[in-house]
């Protein structure tokens, strides 16, 4: 009888959602999804789910060991570098199979007007004073745009804000994806947006804002991703399924 493989799935991406849906129907695996809790009403996954941080390196290591996991699949957001680095190090230390799903980056086409930056603080060097800046980078990076005091800032986030906008020259805009290209074009026109700032998260559903910027001729400041981790990694959830199958076959 084949032993059931218990997998810890670090979630927060579309790849994690699709992977959880497939694995929920696979009797050869048991999946526990872990969400950081950054969104108040996250998408419900069809597998057992824990919400919230682990409490640091030692607590996460002890959790993985005590729960009897046989593998960890990291399908967090491409910019969740801290949890990815820590999880990979834990798995290396305890000899636990670890896979990182990292979707392909967005690539500019001829009609795009992109400037690649490594840090949000660099944005100021590329934005004229008085510009209306649409920040599609999430609230976690908002503190890094403090130096954009000569611009009007609009920061879109999924959940209603817990407090007022941190700078007098800006405001929050609440909106829950997905957004169509047509919706984004209409929004950018309505807000008189001059510059779009985004993280290179990749993925088709969230690319619509870039397509809208191209149609409107808007410049885009693109935040470069954290460096790729060494070790096992794939780009798609279907490739992750093959990795799981290979892992199971190797353990027979």
């Amino acid at each position: 009888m084949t032993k059931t493989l218990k997998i810890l799935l670090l979630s927060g991406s579309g790849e994690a959602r699709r992977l959880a849906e497939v694995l929920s129907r696979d009797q050869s695996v048991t999946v526990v999804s872990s969400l950081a809790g950054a969104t108040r009403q996250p998408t419900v996954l069809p597998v057992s789910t824990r919400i919230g941080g682990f409490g640091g390196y030692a607590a996460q290591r002890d959790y993985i060991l005590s729960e009897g996991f046989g593998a960890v699949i990291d399908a967090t957001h491409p910019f969740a570098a801290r949890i990815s680095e820590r999880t990979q190090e834990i798995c290396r230390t305890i000899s636990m199979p670890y896979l990182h799903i990292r979707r392909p980056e967005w690539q500019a086409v001829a009609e795009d007007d992109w400037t690649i930056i490594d840090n949000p603080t660099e944005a100021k060097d590329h934005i004229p004073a008085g510009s209306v800046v649409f920040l599609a980078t999430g609230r976690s990076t908002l503190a890094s745009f403090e130096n954009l005091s000569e611009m009007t800032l609009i920061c879109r986030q999924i959940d209603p804000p817990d407090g007022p906008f941190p700078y007098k020259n800006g405001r929050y805009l609440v909106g829950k994806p997905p957004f169509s290209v047509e919706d984004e074009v209409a929004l950018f026109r309505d807000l008189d947006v001059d510059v779009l700032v985004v993280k290179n998260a990749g993925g088709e559903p969230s690319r619509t804002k870039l397509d809208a910027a191209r149609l409107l001729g808007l410049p885009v400041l693109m935040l470069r991703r954290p460096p790729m981790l060494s070790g096992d990694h794939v780009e798609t959830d279907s490739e992750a399924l093959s990795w799981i199958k290979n892992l199971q076959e190797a353990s027979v």
Side-chain angles (χ1 to χ4, degrees):
M1 184 175 179
T2 303
K3 181 181 178 182
T4 300
L5 175 65
K6 189 173 184 179
I7 299 172
L8 174 61
L9 177 62
L10 302 185
S11 303
S13 65
E15 290 79 8
R17 183 181 65 255
R18 292 190 295 270
L19 191 59
E21 289 172 352
V22 174
L23 294 179
S24 69
R25 302 188 294 269
D26 187 341
Q27 296 183 351
S28 70
V29 298
T30 299
V31 180
V32 176
S33 169
S34 179
L35 290 166
T39 303
R40 292 175 195 165
Q41 294 182 322
T43 300
V44 178
L45 300 178
V47 295
S48 176
T49 302
R50 65 176 300 280
I51 298 177
F54 291 99
Y57 181 99
Q60 184 180 355
R61 179 200 60 208
D62 293 347
Y63 173 77
I64 292 173
L65 288 172
S66 65
E67 292 296 320
F69 292 107
V72 176
I73 297 180
D74 182 349
T76 54
H77 190 278
F79 278 77
R82 183 178 301 177
I83 185 63
S84 293
E85 292 171 357
R86 188 177 74 193
T87 303
Q88 186 190 53
E89 175 59 21
I90 290 171
C91 290
R92 186 194 64 79
T93 301
I94 64 177
S95 299
M96 176 76 63
Y98 168 87
L99 178 70
H100 191 194
I101 303 178
R102 184 150 146 147
R103 71 176 76 112
E105 293 181 323
W106 288 317
Q107 300 294 329
V109 299
E111 296 82 6
D112 286 321
D113 180 10
W114 293 7
T115 299
I116 310 300
I117 58 176
D118 292 308
N119 190 289
T121 59
E122 298 174 23
K124 186 177 186 299
D125 300 330
H126 305 280
I127 304 176
S131 297
V132 176
V133 182
F134 192 90
L135 300 175
T137 56
R139 62 188 176 200
S140 63
T141 56
L142 191 53
S144 300
F145 292 107
E146 184 179 10
N147 62 354
L148 300 184
S149 58
E150 298 179 356
M151 298 83 177
T152 298
L153 307 181
I154 302 171
C155 177
R156 183 162 66 189
Q157 61 179 50
I158 295 175
D159 294 316
D162 295 320
F165 199 78
Y167 315 124
K168 62 181 181 180
N169 58 313
R171 65 183 177 89
Y172 290 114
L173 177 70
V174 177
K176 189 169 185 177
F179 308 105
S180 70
V181 175
E182 294 75 17
D183 288 341
E184 296 289 60
V185 166
L187 177 67
F188 293 164
R189 281 177 172 162
D190 183 58
L191 297 174
D192 291 324
V193 172
D194 297 305
V195 180
L196 173 65
V197 183
V198 300
K199 294 176 177 177
N200 198 333
E204 287 305 312
S206 55
R207 190 189 173 92
T208 55
K209 53 183 171 285
L210 297 174
D211 296 335
R214 183 190 310 118
L215 291 172
L216 294 172
L218 296 179
V220 175
L221 296 185
M222 183 70 68
L223 276 163
R224 195 189 306 273
R225 283 187 186 182
M228 174 77 78
L229 295 176
S230 60
D232 287 353
H233 66 272
V234 296
E235 294 185 341
T236 67
D237 43 290
S238 60
E239 290 175 313
L241 290 171
S242 297
W243 182 86
I244 293 170
K245 182 178 179 181
N246 292 335
L247 188 63
Q248 290 174 308
E249 290 176 349
S251 64
V252 174

